[in-house]
Amino acid sequence: MSSNVPISGGNSITAPTPQNTPLNQAPIALGLSRPTVPDISEDNEGEASAVTDDDGVAGIEQGMLNLMVQGKLAGLLGRSSGYIESLPVEVKANIEALKGVQEKQNDLHNQYKKECLALEKKYLELTKPLYERRNAIITGKSAATSEEILAGESVSKKDDEEYTPLPSDVTPSSSGIPEFWLTALRNHVGLNEIITDRDAEALKSLVDIRLEYLNQDDAAKASPTEGKPGFKLLFQFGPNDFFEDEVLEKTYLYQEEVGYSGDFVYDRAIGTEIKWKEDKDLTKEFEIKKQRNKNTNRTRLVRKARPAESFFNFFSPPVPPTDEGIENGDYDEEELADIEEKLEIDYQIGEDLKEKIIPHAVDYFTGKALEYEGFDESDGESFEDIDEEDEDEEDGSDVSDSD
């Protein structure tokens, strides 16, 4: 499964035809709202000043003409030029035939993706005994064997030629690996940003994270629409001071049919309603305010709750906007953009947990996974923040307001 499964929502844009498609994309089509002008640096300042006024005017006129042409071409994108409509009916019949052929391709691709999902389920079942063994070592339920240690050391030697093997008579700790999952989650760039210090205290009791795929019965229970594919993440906790739940769940549902991009389309997510202990809700912050009675002039203290940033908001996923609500104008553009961004982040975190963190947990615990995420810090270079004023002094240049 791809880690970038698209969010549902289509555009009714007509495909460009040979009659309305420019040879090169116009800047507007590339997402640029206005033309950009290059800065004149000290190196080319003299060259720029040598241009005559006539050349400058001619250049400006040519640039404006180019922008007008590009603007018109970009405006044609997504609109019918009349090319298709003008074709003979015999050619139109061929076009309709191609649509029929493509529909059969789509059916085959849907079948392919569903078989891929079935294959993922099969190999998850084969992997479960290894996950159970991993959990036994992490929690200290079972000691690591000498064979497992030697196999791990051979991996370490392969990754690092300077790796020093452990003493042969070392005895594995009976307490397992403290704070394993908290460390692994914090070594994921996206999750590290949403785990607060308060969350960390609760996540220290996180015992395991498991993955399950939905079958038709599960999907029917999780959603009014039967048969939707998807997966479930299960966070198993030991006793803690924050909530009563032993397992917190997050279910992700796909739409039944594969999307235009060739992958399953995200439908929605369902989270666990956490049973917080009194005054321990990490998704809220409490503040004490004084209130004065206007009639008696007496004062009292009132405690008010407000939403707080927390990893545990992950179990209260954003709700996608409804088609009916969009048609009725219940959302403005800013609200829709905000909801879409939250949905994308929520879904990407779920996919990363499923595709990366659960199968490669030890790599996230050790930080090895960061190398594959583009955060390799083993090159020996170190950097520090530079104060802008110090930088100006080192360059020997003064920056004035006019500059």
Side-chain angles (χ1 to χ4, degrees):
M1 297 291 292
S2 168
S3 61
N4 294 307
V5 179
I7 306 295
S8 60
N11 296 321
S12 56
I13 297 178
T14 305
T17 71
Q19 305 297 322
N20 65 10
T21 307
L23 183 62
N24 295 314
Q25 279 188 300
I28 297 176
L30 293 173
L32 302 176
S33 58
R34 58 174 180 263
T36 57
V37 181
D39 295 332
I40 300 177
S41 64
E42 292 180 359
D43 295 335
N44 60 15
E45 186 174 359
E47 180 182 345
S49 62
V51 178
T52 64
D53 291 341
D54 291 340
D55 290 338
V57 172
I60 292 173
E61 290 178 349
Q62 184 62 42
M64 293 178 65
L65 179 61
N66 289 340
L67 288 172
M68 290 174 63
V69 172
Q70 291 171 346
K72 289 182 179 179
L73 289 173
L76 289 173
L77 290 174
R79 297 183 183 180
S80 174
S81 66
Y83 170 70
I84 301 296
E85 292 80 357
S86 67
L87 292 173
V89 65
E90 294 83 3
V91 177
K92 289 181 179 178
N94 285 336
I95 295 173
E96 295 304 315
L98 290 181
K99 293 179 184 178
V101 172
Q102 180 169 293
E103 184 62 21
K104 291 182 179 180
Q105 294 173 217
N106 293 341
D107 292 341
L108 281 175
H109 193 75
N110 283 340
Q111 183 180 345
Y112 161 73
K113 296 304 293 187
K114 289 177 180 178
E115 289 184 10
C116 285
L117 188 59
L119 203 58
E120 288 185 22
K121 294 179 183 179
K122 172 186 173 181
Y123 277 90
L124 177 62
E125 290 301 316
L126 295 174
T127 309
K128 277 186 177 179
L130 299 176
Y131 286 161
E132 291 171 1
R133 180 60 187 155
R134 178 177 72 183
N135 178 254
I137 295 173
I138 291 171
T139 57
K141 294 178 181 177
S142 178
T145 65
S146 57
E147 291 80 8
E148 289 169 336
I149 296 171
L150 288 173
E153 288 192 315
S154 66
V155 174
S156 298
K157 289 178 183 177
K158 188 187 300 181
D159 291 339
D160 182 6
E161 295 179 356
E162 299 180 359
Y163 171 77
T164 303
L166 300 174
S168 57
D169 58 345
V170 67
T171 302
S173 171
S174 59
S175 60
I177 306 174
E179 301 179 17
F180 177 88
W181 285 104
L182 169 60
T183 305
L185 294 177
R186 277 192 151 170
N187 277 336
H188 179 276
V189 178
L191 287 168
N192 182 56
E193 293 182 358
I194 62 175
I195 296 176
T196 68
D197 291 339
R198 297 168 67 215
D199 295 332
E201 291 301 312
L203 289 171
K204 287 177 181 179
S205 62
L206 181 58
V207 176
D208 197 11
I209 305 177
R210 301 192 304 275
L211 168 67
E212 291 181 1
Y213 285 99
L214 300 182
N215 55 41
Q216 281 194 339
D217 294 335
D218 290 335
K221 294 175 184 177
S223 171
T225 304
E226 295 185 7
K228 287 185 178 179
F231 62 93
K232 183 186 295 185
L233 301 170
L234 300 97
F235 294 72
Q236 182 182 348
F237 287 86
N240 62 79
D241 297 331
F242 298 90
F243 45 82
E244 304 288 349
D245 309 82
E246 292 183 3
V247 178
L248 300 180
E249 297 182 359
K250 180 74 172 284
T251 302
Y252 286 92
L253 297 174
Y254 299 134
Q255 294 184 10
E256 285 189 76
E257 299 299 323
V258 173
Y260 192 80
S261 65
D263 219 325
F264 282 107
V265 179
Y266 169 74
D267 186 71
R268 66 191 183 102
I270 304 168
T272 297
E273 184 176 349
I274 303 175
K275 299 174 183 177
W276 296 103
K277 295 181 179 180
E278 187 175 0
D279 296 336
K280 294 294 185 178
D281 190 340
L282 296 170
T283 65
K284 295 178 181 178
E285 289 179 339
F286 296 92
E287 59 179 349
I288 306 297
K289 286 191 173 183
K290 278 187 177 182
Q291 287 186 345
R292 187 183 301 276
N293 189 303
K294 294 181 179 179
N295 298 324
T296 63
N297 210 32
R298 293 177 58 187
T299 60
R300 65 174 182 176
L301 297 178
V302 178
R303 191 179 68 160
K304 289 190 175 183
R306 61 186 180 193
E309 296 292 332
S310 172
F311 164 80
F312 291 93
N313 288 321
F314 176 71
F315 298 98
S316 300
V319 180
T322 61
D323 294 337
E324 183 180 354
I326 294 174
E327 291 176 2
N328 295 336
D330 295 342
Y331 313 92
D332 59 34
E333 291 184 8
E334 187 175 344
E335 285 178 316
L336 286 173
D338 184 57
I339 293 172
E340 182 179 358
E341 181 182 4
K342 288 179 179 178
L343 287 169
E344 288 177 353
I345 293 173
D346 178 74
Y347 185 76
Q348 192 59 55
I349 288 176
E351 279 288 307
D352 282 359
L353 283 161
K354 168 179 168 280
E355 299 283 352
K356 298 179 180 180
I357 296 176
I358 291 177
H360 303 288
V362 68
D363 291 332
Y364 279 92
F365 176 79
T366 63
K368 178 70 176 176
L370 293 175
E371 296 180 18
Y372 303 104
E373 300 283 355
F375 292 90
D376 186 4
E377 298 181 356
S378 61
D379 54 9
E381 294 185 77
S382 61
F383 298 87
E384 62 180 0
D385 293 335
I386 299 176
D387 186 84
E388 291 183 7
E389 294 181 2
D390 294 341
E391 186 179 25
D392 293 336
E393 291 176 4
E394 291 175 6
D395 293 341
S397 59
D398 295 328
V399 179
S400 65
D401 292 340
S402 61
D403 293 334

